[in-house]
Amino acid sequence: MEKETQKVRVVNKGGRPKAQIKRDCQLTVMCNIIEKKMIQANARRARTNVSIYLRQVGLNGRITVKTLPKEVLQFTGTLNHMAANLNQIARKRNKGEDLNTLDRALLNQEVRGLQSIVKEVKNYLA
């Protein structure tokens, strides 16, 4: 019997070629509706989809980070501390308790502190 030579045919399945490195990690970005529309518009102008646009901007783009001056951060911390103290005094008054001497002194100190901060802010902005 004769051996038949079979030709091996490579069948091209067609379709999209397999990616060497599969993008299977998802990253969620939170934004408001206006930011979303702006990102979508920027992606359309770049003639690409939002995913590719954000990936390219994230990998190749420059971001300017806005930092607050040290003085502003200190003011914020001081105001938060004062707000906590005033909240404690207000809680006592809302319960119907009278302010004792220590509470009155603390309240006066906080008022003077706020007045001082207002002057510093005005000087800083002037």
Side-chain angles (χ1 to χ4, degrees), residues 2-121:
E2 252 179 68
K3 281 186 174 179
E4 288 185 25
T5 54
Q6 293 180 354
K7 292 184 180 178
V8 178
R9 265 174 74 181
V10 177
V11 177
N12 185 358
K13 292 182 181 180
R16 187 176 188 162
K18 299 286 181 191
Q20 289 182 359
I21 300 175
K22 189 174 179 180
R23 289 190 172 99
D24 57 355
C25 295
Q26 186 176 6
L27 182 67
T28 303
V29 178
M30 299 302 291
C31 59
N32 62 37
I33 190 69
I34 296 169
E35 293 167 337
K36 179 181 177 183
K37 296 296 182 187
M38 290 175 67
I39 291 169
Q40 290 171 334
N42 289 341
R44 272 194 301 277
R45 271 197 300 277
R47 293 190 169 100
T48 186
N49 65 33
V50 173
S51 178
I52 294 171
Y53 174 77
L54 288 176
R55 185 171 43 254
Q56 291 300 318
V57 169
L59 293 173
N60 304 324
R62 298 266 187 241
I63 303 297
T64 56
V65 178
K66 295 180 183 178
T67 57
L68 294 173
K70 186 176 98 173
E71 296 83 6
V72 173
L73 295 175
Q74 287 174 338
F75 287 147
T76 304
T78 304
L79 289 173
N80 286 334
H81 181 71
M82 289 178 166
N85 289 341
L86 292 173
N87 190 32
Q88 291 173 1
I89 294 171
R91 190 174 324 136
K92 273 190 174 182
R93 291 297 298 150
N94 288 335
K95 287 183 181 178
E97 297 176 23
D98 287 332
L99 295 179
N100 59 30
T101 308
L102 179 62
D103 291 335
R104 284 191 186 113
L106 179 61
L107 185 58
N108 287 331
Q109 179 184 352
E110 297 298 338
V111 168
R112 284 191 301 277
L114 283 171
Q115 289 169 343
S116 171
I117 287 179
V118 168
K119 286 180 186 175
E120 288 184 47
V121 168

